[in-house]
Amino acid sequence: MRRSRTVALTAAAAAAVLIVTGCSSGTKSSDTSSSGTSAAGGADAATKNIVNASDKKGGTVTYEMKGTPDSFDPGNTYYAYIYNFSRLYGRPLTTFNPAAGEDGNKLVPDLAENMGQPSADGLTWTYKLRAGLKYDDGTPITSKDVKYAVERSNFAPDVNSNGPTYFKELLVDNPTPYEGPYKDKTGDLKSIETPDDLTIVFHLKHAFADFDYLVSAPQTVPVPQAKDDGANYVKHVVSSGTYKFESYDDGKQLTLVPNTNWDKSTDPIRKQLADKIVVKMGIEQSTIDKDLIAGNAQVDLVGGGVDPQTQAQILQNQKLKASTDNAYGGRLVYTAINTKVAPFDNIECRKAVQYAIDKTSVQLTLGGPIRGAIANTVLPPDIPGHQDFNTWETKDNKGDLDKAKAALKACGKPDGFNTVLTARTERDPEVQAATAIQAALKKIGVNAEIQKFPQGKYFSDNAGVPQFTQDHNIGLMMMQWGADWPTGYGFLQQIVDGRAIKASGNSNLAQLNDPDINKLIDDAATNTDKAAREKIYAQIDKKVMDQAVYVPLTDFKVFLYRPDSATNLASTPAFSGEYDYLNIGTTK
Amino acid sequence: MTAPIKTAGNEPGAPATVSPAKKIEGRSLGQIAWTRFKRDKIAVAGGVVVILLILLAVLAKPIEALFGLDPDALHQDPDILDANLGGLPIGNWGGMSWDHPLGVDPLQGRDLLSRAIEGSWVSLLVAFGATVLSNTIGTVLGVMAGYYGGWVDTVISRIMDVFLAFPLLLFAIAISTSLQGGAFGLHGLPLHIMVLIFVIGFFNWPYMGRIVRGQTLSLREREFVHAARSLGARGPFILFKELLPNLVGPILVYSTLLIPTNILFEAGLSFLGVGIQPPQASWGGMLNDAIKYYQVDPQYMVVPGLAIFLTVLAFNLLGDGLRDALDPKSN
Amino acid sequence: MFAYIIRRTFAALLLILVVSAVTFAIFFLLPRIAGETSDQLAAQYIGKNPSPEAIAAVKKNLGFDQPLYSQYWNFLKGLVGGAEYKFGPDPVTCHVPCFGYSFKNHLEVWPELTKRIPVTLSLAIGAAVLWLVSGVTTGVISALKPRSIFDRLAMGVALAGVSLPVFFTGALLLTVFSYEWPILDNLQYVNFTDDPIMWARNLILPWISLAFLYSALYARLTRAGMLETMSEDYIRTARAKGLVERKVVTRHGLRAALTPVVTIFGMDLGLLLGGALITEQVFSLQGIGAFAVQAIADNDLPKILGVTLLAAFFIVVCNLVVDLLYALVDPRVRLS
């Protein structure tokens, strides 16, 4: 869930035994250069095509961002926009096709020349690197550097603490637990083999169908061990991509210049257009918006959309509005109902909440339709397999007090009850949505006290600790969820699989543990047919909704301004609706 | 508001302006002061506004009930908020209408008049509470330091130095943040109010302490104290019966001037997001919210901004008037 | 005089030491009041899925397993001697003066602070010049012509000034000058050395909003002081011996009247240098105040400690300078 950067997500939830099928869902290779293109634009153009497609070289592309990222170090980040941006200076084994809409969800080989080759039992994945790859200093890239990159990013949590640790959970550990490359300089992780300089083999504890997606993370971007000085590596990242670090001023500015050792013939997806790429940090959102409109900046690096004030101004101006993209962000905003806290252990009381909440009201507090479409399913529409349905339908999504009260009665609480609703302090929209939910519940006599917790501790100490929620009568929790990779498995597993419940850092906030659903998760992973798998995801979605444990509120949308001065802009669902940063150039 | 204690510190800190009145035959200090105060029309106006504000704060809940105002009720009808513009109020003046005389807030459409009324009791309660707290600590320690002198004075004065060297606002933020979830068996609004009273009151007392200490120092050498002492009066008696009544004037003046500072302080903390927490209405919290819309809905910030301004102004006018009335040296 | 300077400086140092100790103790106690264990504290510094070993390592590194006084002692040692933490292939050095090392984003606190000092310094000094000049001038003129129209008007404005929260004034200024009539838009901090004109242009609104508040106070203070001194005997004497009125005012009147003003100026400036939290927030300036707010939001203890200490340092130093100035001007002070 890198998008909203929660803590502790381990993919291969211990018990989920997946049998790999050999069907890597992303391999359907499409001609990467010929996704539909369009020069003109118009509102939402970049959600369908690459807008302003161009091969014009030269100029400086300026990125601006609010605040600072967790790190530019490919092995130490969990932000979608750095996943996206780091591909300019680092090539993971696979990556997403730089294209708009559905095409953007397609996985293509990058550092590897083909998608991974799983063994028959699905426990071994082999990748072959392209030949002739070089770092920016001219030294050759070897598979050992990829192995080292995985080791440093997953096994040294005290040095590179930001990224997820999927590999650590999934790879077979050494007989004595591997302590990471910094502590144990002689040893290495035995379950990653590099039989030659171009081959890398991963040995998994159990089969994992989405492994090709996993290696698209910047954690497989090669890092030469000799150049790695831990926390300081971010200051001089060694490039394998189109651009290399020229200067890095922490918290202020990063400047990239073309990597002369990058060879176009080894790279079918990248273009090296701009003469220079500058990232300016710590800039106010409203200033970024102005710079985008004025053409002083080409990209808002964070890609979370414009400031609400700018949004209102743009919406009132047809000309500006034509240069915007309102894209799904691959994220669901929802309220989790804690099945382990009374009276929500009774499905009737959960139903009462499902019926009582006025989703249009919540949608408005979140910023209106521009900031999110009303959701009735767990799977967002930009994840393959999504199906529309509405289990707890109310008229115009405005809630139905009669049905809600009837459900309360059936639950044995006709006069309502008291509970606690949590939200994250720093997130104003989330708190405001909680307020709207509180107001709706009040109408059926349910008093929800809003308690806020800092987002840094939300999962480690509060909402993500089942014991804590039990102790504090926390029945309802505000939540946002985005998958780390765009498949039904990537989205659903952590939040609906009962075996994914953790004592701390839990994401299955409802503590839903339904044997049928758990089994379906396993079924999906073992099914060789992509279409059939996607059908199972929809089935899981329906079953989860039948349990009434999650109240889907909105499918998050971003509202991006698309500067005329930027070329090759395509909003991609693979990176939360951000523009794909790989090939952005400038006309300036 | 960046250095909130400044009004607190300085205003009355100009010692020349707050000095004990000399007794005049036949009329009590209070009577003289009252006569002088009554002549000061502006101060009286300030006093009237202050009384009205206190009434409003005390009666906020009944008033809301009487007029059917609900500060937390959402009004998100399509004729009030424009969903397609991201939930901005419809209409020129931030959604002003007969139903919502001061308009509504964006996204949620809550009635700003109700929220301004609701915010009054929070602001005044915190300001009064904090003032009482810091004045109590300040008076007790100030009198002790001034009266006993010697090592007592040294210790208390050094403690005051340490407190004055603290970056107050920073501390207030840190404390309010860490105690947000729950502490001392409290949570929610009561906890926030208590924490605010504590952080504002507890760190502000040395200003009061210094003034009282100075006053006590000069009073200690006055004839009536000497007289009491020679008649065999003991420390506590002199402290409470002889000194304190003479300190009431300056304490009163200072309190009246400290209240507005504390209102600003509370608003500042809520503005920074560490004071009163939404959905509870507070003026600082409203401003914090409003500033996000300063370009597209500037009317929003005017409501809490003016509420704070008028309240603080009224208290300042009253305080100025009281000081002049109690200080024979002023005009 | 020399002995006095030494004595005062020593006292100031002691004061800083006490303040830092109290700060340390408070931040040590706070999380415990809120009910956190040292394990949870340590876990915040690691990130995802902290293993018990990692927690133990961080606890050891941060010294959470030691008693409060020895943690404080280590902190002091770091301040004068630097510190080393074992992370990664090479131990991380926290250079002198080690104000702490943030384990959250692997940064030394001191360089982070020094990066931001110019912003806050520019903000505070610029505003201070503005409010001193305008406040004192207004106060003097008002005092010389009490009850004149100017006096009443000035004092009315001053009263309004002290009653307006800076975040309201600031927001109003932004609305008017940065949005409605965008003559001062795109306000980004620019280094004075890079472009002095842009530096001043982009800081003028924050200066004005701060100065409005403070000059109101200083005008009132100056006025009161002037009224008082101008009725003193020595002023009459000065006039009697035929001194030009201008000289009477500047040389005799103002000098005495400004004494309390200077004291308070020392305190105000000290406080501001430690971070103009709200002003920085309103105008999105990345100064010490913004750093502090962020550090607190992130619950990043080393940063909070560092910034608090720096702020206390500024307060104490400014007060010290004022004290020494007094001693220089008025020999009675250093004798008492």
Side-chain angles (χ1 to χ4, degrees):
Chain A
M1 225 219 61
R2 60 178 182 223
R3 273 124 213 209
S4 13
R5 193 169 171 241
T6 63
V7 212
L9 297 173
T10 45
V17 178
L18 311 176
I19 296 184
V20 165
T21 60
C23 164
S24 331
S25 48
T27 41
K28 209 196 290 169
S29 64
S30 66
D31 180 0
T32 52
S33 58
S34 72
S35 309
T37 57
S38 120
D44 296 341
T47 62
K48 298 164 202 131
N49 297 304
I50 297 176
V51 174
N52 238 346
S54 160
D55 282 331
K56 184 185 173 302
K57 284 186 166 259
T60 300
V61 173
T62 304
Y63 286 75
E64 292 184 342
M65 74 176 294
K66 189 184 173 188
T68 54
D70 50 357
S71 175
F72 282 101
D73 181 340
N76 193 22
T77 181
Y78 205 9
Y79 279 125
Y81 61 85
I82 299 293
Y83 272 45
N84 187 352
F85 184 79
S86 66
R87 299 181 300 154
L88 285 164
Y89 51 82
R91 298 177 63 177
L93 288 174
T94 64
T95 195
F96 290 97
N97 186 26
E102 292 223 333
D103 285 346
N105 265 342
K106 278 179 193 140
L107 213 52
V108 293
D110 191 355
L111 201 68
E113 69 187 357
N114 282 304
M115 302 306 277
Q117 286 303 315
S119 61
D121 60 2
L123 291 176
T124 309
W125 284 76
T126 307
Y127 292 85
K128 266 248 180 274
L129 268 55
R130 294 175 199 270
L133 296 174
K134 284 181 189 148
Y135 288 115
D136 59 67
D137 58 4
T139 53
I141 295 172
T142 73
S143 52
K144 291 188 182 55
D145 301 339
V146 177
K147 170 181 159 85
Y148 178 72
V150 173
E151 288 171 347
R152 75 188 281 274
S153 57
N154 276 264
F155 292 87
D158 46 355
V159 180
N160 296 316
S161 59
N162 295 326
T165 52
Y166 290 110
F167 286 103
K168 185 179 181 178
E169 306 303 318
L170 200 55
L171 291 169
V172 175
D173 204 348
N174 292 351
T176 46
Y178 178 54
E179 289 210 306
Y182 302 117
K183 280 191 184 127
D184 190 351
K185 287 206 174 185
T186 48
D188 60 352
L189 187 66
K190 306 286 181 245
S191 55
I192 305 180
E193 287 177 325
T194 50
D196 60 60
D197 278 356
L198 295 181
T199 310
I200 185 161
V201 184
F202 297 90
H203 295 280
L204 315 189
K205 285 180 194 156
H206 49 76
F208 187 71
D210 284 347
F211 197 73
D212 273 336
Y213 286 94
L214 208 54
V215 300
S216 75
Q219 300 189 332
T220 65
V221 167
V223 174
Q225 181 161 14
K227 297 282 173 62
D228 180 23
D229 46 0
N232 283 323
Y233 181 67
V234 65
K235 294 170 186 161
H236 50 81
V237 173
V238 182
S239 168
S240 50
T242 31
Y243 290 85
K244 63 178 179 184
F245 276 40
E246 183 187 62
S247 65
Y248 175 73
D249 186 357
D250 191 82
K252 265 193 158 163
Q253 183 162 318
L254 168 67
T255 309
L256 302 176
V257 290
N259 170 9
T260 46
N261 280 304
W262 170 79
D263 182 356
K264 172 82 191 135
S265 68
T266 68
D267 196 336
I269 56 170
R270 285 179 182 74
K271 297 171 181 172
Q272 199 178 41
L273 298 179
D275 287 342
K276 195 183 235 184
I277 293 173
V278 173
V279 180
K280 295 180 179 167
M281 294 170 245
I283 305 212
E284 270 312 291
Q285 191 62 49
S286 56
T287 310
I288 298 175
D289 299 343
K290 275 183 205 142
D291 286 348
L292 290 176
I293 294 172
N296 298 329
Q298 280 65 49
V299 190
D300 170 12
L301 179 61
V302 177
V306 299
D307 181 76
Q309 305 211 78
T310 320
Q311 178 187 312
Q313 287 155 22
I314 290 175
L315 289 172
Q316 285 164 312
N317 179 332
Q318 284 309 317
K319 201 168 153 250
L320 290 178
K321 198 181 166 190
S323 296
T324 58
D325 290 296
N326 195 196
Y328 280 110
R331 215 191 303 170
L332 177 72
V333 180
Y334 62 95
T335 303
I337 308 179
N338 194 342
T339 55
K340 293 289 187 293
V341 164
F344 293 121
D345 47 352
N346 184 334
I347 188 170
E348 293 298 332
C349 274
R350 302 202 291 269
K351 277 198 217 165
V353 173
Q354 295 275 2
Y355 282 129
I357 290 178
D358 176 351
K359 289 187 184 175
T360 58
S361 162
V362 174
Q363 182 193 33
L364 199 48
T365 57
L366 290 167
I370 292 282
R371 293 276 163 165
I374 287 180
N376 291 309
T377 61
V378 178
L379 270 183
D382 50 345
I383 301 269
H386 163 87
Q387 275 182 29
D388 269 329
F389 63 92
N390 191 350
T391 312
W392 311 107
E393 193 165 0
T394 64
K395 191 164 178 289
D396 299 329
N397 290 311
K398 280 182 156 311
D400 187 326
L401 296 185
D402 293 334
K403 279 188 190 167
K405 280 178 186 154
L408 267 189
K409 213 172 194 176
C411 176
K413 297 268 180 190
D415 301 322
F417 51 88
N418 294 327
T419 190
V420 172
L421 169 61
T422 63
R424 282 165 281 193
T425 314
E426 294 87 346
R427 302 188 171 196
D428 285 337
E430 189 166 297
V431 174
Q432 276 159 353
T435 315
I437 289 170
Q438 182 188 44
L441 292 178
K442 208 167 149 190
K443 289 182 188 157
I444 58 165
V446 174
N447 291 309
E449 182 202 332
I450 295 177
Q451 280 184 20
K452 301 194 293 179
F453 299 101
Q455 56 186 10
K457 299 190 197 170
Y458 200 63
F459 296 97
S460 62
D461 291 12
N462 309 121
V465 179
Q467 191 59 47
F468 184 89
T469 60
Q470 259 115 288
D471 293 346
H472 292 76
N473 191 30
I474 295 172
L476 303 168
M477 289 161 272
M478 297 301 292
M479 175 75 166
Q480 282 193 19
W481 184 254
D484 277 0
W485 60 88
T487 69
Y489 185 88
F491 192 91
L492 291 170
Q493 194 270 337
Q494 281 292 305
I495 56 174
V496 305
D497 190 332
R499 298 156 299 188
I501 299 172
K502 288 191 263 312
S504 163
N506 180 33
S507 301
N508 182 349
L509 296 186
Q511 297 183 58
L512 173 66
N513 191 359
D514 180 301
D516 291 351
I517 293 173
N518 297 353
K519 186 177 173 299
L520 281 173
I521 289 270
D522 295 348
D523 288 351
T526 52
N527 200 314
T528 49
D529 179 19
K530 184 167 181 262
R533 267 205 320 257
E534 286 172 0
K535 241 181 215 154
I536 299 179
Y537 295 140
Q539 225 180 320
I540 296 174
D541 197 350
K542 284 202 180 98
K543 278 207 176 291
V544 173
M545 285 312 298
D546 285 342
Q547 296 284 324
V549 291
Y550 292 127
V551 189
L553 299 168
T554 64
D555 286 312
F556 187 82
K557 287 177 104 175
V558 289
F559 187 66
L560 304 170
Y561 184 79
R562 191 177 63 232
D564 296 337
S565 58
T567 62
N568 301 322
L569 287 182
S571 161
T572 167
F575 295 110
S576 312
E578 294 156 14
Y579 294 121
D580 189 299
Y581 298 152
L582 212 46
N583 293 324
I584 295 179
T586 180
T587 54
K588 282 203 141 183
Chain B
M1 241 319 282
T2 300
I5 39 176
K6 58 173 342 307
T7 10
N10 317 336
E11 262 310 291
T17 49
V18 189
S19 56
K22 291 181 185 117
K23 293 224 175 203
I24 296 175
E25 284 283 314
R27 285 197 293 168
S28 78
L29 183 71
Q31 283 171 323
I32 301 167
W34 177 239
T35 320
R36 293 163 65 97
F37 180 76
K38 271 195 299 191
R39 265 187 263 144
D40 189 346
K41 293 282 178 292
I42 296 180
V44 171
V48 171
V49 175
V50 164
I51 291 172
L52 288 178
L53 277 168
I54 295 174
L55 278 178
L56 178 70
V58 172
L59 299 176
K61 289 286 179 195
I63 290 176
E64 284 164 19
L66 187 64
F67 292 98
L69 304 173
D70 183 350
D72 295 334
L74 308 175
H75 304 280
Q76 298 175 308
D77 312 330
D79 58 335
I80 294 179
L81 297 183
D82 188 341
N84 292 321
L85 274 188
L88 291 182
I90 292 173
N92 272 337
W93 289 92
M96 273 189 198
S97 65
W98 286 111
D99 289 341
H100 307 290
L102 296 182
V104 294
D105 65 0
L107 301 180
Q108 303 177 78
R110 294 173 299 190
D111 179 48
L112 290 185
L113 176 65
S114 317
R115 291 186 75 70
I117 293 174
E118 174 73 10
S120 68
W121 74 262
V122 179
S123 280
L124 291 193
L125 178 63
V126 171
F128 273 97
T131 308
V132 168
L133 179 64
S134 55
N135 282 4
T136 311
I137 307 178
T139 306
V140 170
L141 291 181
V143 168
M144 279 170 62
Y147 182 77
Y148 290 111
W151 67 267
V152 178
D153 185 21
T154 312
V155 169
I156 294 178
S157 295
R158 290 295 85 79
I159 292 178
M160 292 199 280
D161 283 348
V162 171
F163 267 88
L164 291 175
F166 269 110
L168 172 57
L169 191 53
L170 230 152
F171 260 73
I173 296 172
I175 294 177
S176 325
T177 311
S178 15
L179 299 184
Q180 205 133 89
F184 316 114
L186 289 173
H187 55 88
L189 187 60
L191 174 75
H192 298 142
I193 289 182
M194 218 205 63
V195 168
L196 280 174
I197 290 178
F198 172 75
V199 294
I200 300 174
F202 187 68
F203 287 95
N204 254 338
W205 68 266
Y207 296 94
M208 189 66 191
R210 280 198 165 172
I211 292 164
V212 171
R213 175 180 168 271
Q215 296 286 318
T216 314
L217 271 177
S218 69
L219 282 173
R220 192 174 64 170
E221 303 308 325
R222 298 280 277 280
E223 294 83 351
F224 66 97
V225 178
H226 282 302
R229 205 177 285 135
S230 62
L231 287 173
R234 307 257 159 201
F237 179 83
I238 296 178
L239 278 179
F240 290 105
K241 285 281 170 186
E242 302 291 338
L243 290 180
L244 263 187
N246 283 287
L247 288 169
V248 167
I251 292 176
L252 185 71
V253 170
Y254 182 66
S255 301
T256 328
L257 291 169
L258 184 56
I259 287 171
T261 316
N262 287 348
I263 291 176
L264 286 180
F265 203 154
E266 183 275 318
L269 287 177
S270 296
F271 173 76
L272 288 172
V274 297
I276 300 296
Q277 298 299 318
Q280 173 61 42
S282 74
W283 294 340
M286 285 168 81
L287 254 179
N288 178 10
D289 193 28
I291 207 162
K292 286 180 276 191
Y293 301 95
Y294 78 91
Q295 296 176 0
V296 287
D297 187 13
Q299 295 80 7
Y300 182 13
M301 75 178 182
V302 171
V303 174
L306 274 186
I308 298 174
F309 173 62
L310 290 178
T311 309
V312 173
L313 185 67
F315 273 100
N316 276 333
L317 287 173
L318 175 66
D320 272 9
L322 279 181
R323 182 177 56 199
D324 290 346
L326 285 165
D327 179 6
K329 273 211 267 176
S330 69
N331 330 319
Chain C
M1 182 68 199
F2 187 68
Y4 178 79
I5 294 178
I6 296 290
R7 207 170 68 225
R8 290 296 312 173
T9 313
F10 188 72
L13 274 176
L14 203 69
L15 189 57
I16 292 180
L17 212 61
V18 173
V19 168
S20 70
V22 175
T23 311
F24 209 90
I26 289 182
F27 285 115
F28 184 85
L29 289 173
L30 263 181
R32 278 162 184 76
I33 293 176
E36 263 185 286
T37 65
S38 59
D39 271 17
Q40 281 174 327
L41 273 182
Q44 290 168 22
Y45 294 92
I46 310 176
K48 332 282 171 282
N49 266 355
S51 63
E53 305 88 65
I55 289 182
V58 169
K59 263 167 79 177
K60 193 161 174 294
N61 259 320
L62 284 171
F64 284 164
D65 51 349
Q66 293 169 22
L68 177 60
Y69 61 86
S70 66
Q71 288 188 39
Y72 178 61
W73 177 242
N74 286 336
F75 177 73
L76 288 184
K77 270 204 306 209
L79 217 48
V80 287
E84 272 202 356
Y85 301 97
K86 276 164 214 77
F87 276 106
D90 313 303
V92 186
T93 321
C94 178
H95 301 89
V96 181
C98 178
F99 265 63
Y101 184 87
S102 163
F103 297 87
K104 282 228 160 121
N105 35 20
H106 293 282
L107 289 171
E108 291 177 45
V109 174
W110 178 243
E112 289 301 294
L113 285 173
T114 46
K115 242 187 249 174
R116 287 149 187 276
I117 288 177
V119 181
T120 301
L121 206 66
S122 307
L123 175 63
I125 304 278
V129 170
L130 207 59
W131 88 59
L132 260 189
V133 172
S134 62
V136 170
T137 320
T138 316
V140 170
I141 300 178
S142 284
L144 292 182
K145 296 205 163 61
R147 272 179 281 258
S148 65
I149 292 183
F150 178 87
D151 178 28
R152 282 169 194 276
L153 211 66
M155 287 306 114
V157 173
L159 205 57
V162 290
S163 305
L164 274 172
V166 91
F167 44 88
F168 186 48
T169 344
L172 278 179
L173 286 176
L174 271 179
T175 312
V176 175
F177 295 108
S178 184
Y179 183 65
E180 290 294 332
W181 297 286
I183 44 178
L184 288 170
D185 58 351
N186 285 324
L187 300 178
Q188 289 278 317
Y189 176 76
V190 180
N191 272 324
F192 179 77
T193 44
D194 291 347
D195 186 348
I197 294 172
M198 280 307 274
W199 171 81
R201 171 197 179 268
N202 292 355
L203 279 171
I204 190 84
L205 288 186
W207 283 343
I208 292 177
S209 19
L210 261 182
F212 188 49
L213 168 74
Y214 283 81
S215 54
L217 272 162
Y218 281 65
R220 280 156 67 92
L221 215 62
T222 313
R223 179 178 178 273
M226 277 299 277
L227 279 179
E228 177 119 357
T229 41
M230 290 308 278
S231 60
E232 296 278 348
D233 292 342
Y234 66 87
I235 296 287
R236 213 169 5 162
T237 316
R239 283 199 182 118
K241 73 179 183 193
L243 214 59
V244 195
E245 183 66 16
R246 188 172 50 83
K247 282 199 172 160
V248 176
V249 171
T250 51
R251 194 165 295 170
H252 295 276
L254 199 54
R255 195 178 239 196
L258 280 187
T259 313
V261 174
V262 171
T263 312
I264 280 145
F265 181 70
M267 290 170 67
D268 286 343
L269 193 64
L271 267 175
L272 263 191
L273 286 175
L277 283 84
I278 293 179
T279 315
E280 287 175 18
Q281 169 100 356
V282 173
F283 292 98
S284 326
L285 291 166
Q286 295 300 311
I288 310 259
F291 180 82
V293 172
Q294 193 54 48
I296 291 168
D298 294 347
N299 209 0
D300 198 338
L301 203 60
K303 283 187 189 164
I304 302 177
L305 267 175
V307 76
T308 313
L309 204 59
L310 183 73
F313 173 78
F314 279 128
I315 295 173
V316 172
V317 165
C318 283
N319 285 331
L320 177 68
V321 169
V322 167
D323 278 357
L324 296 182
L325 280 181
Y326 274 151
L328 210 65
V329 179
D330 184 351
R332 283 174 305 177
V333 172
R334 56 177 182 261
L335 293 176
S336 67

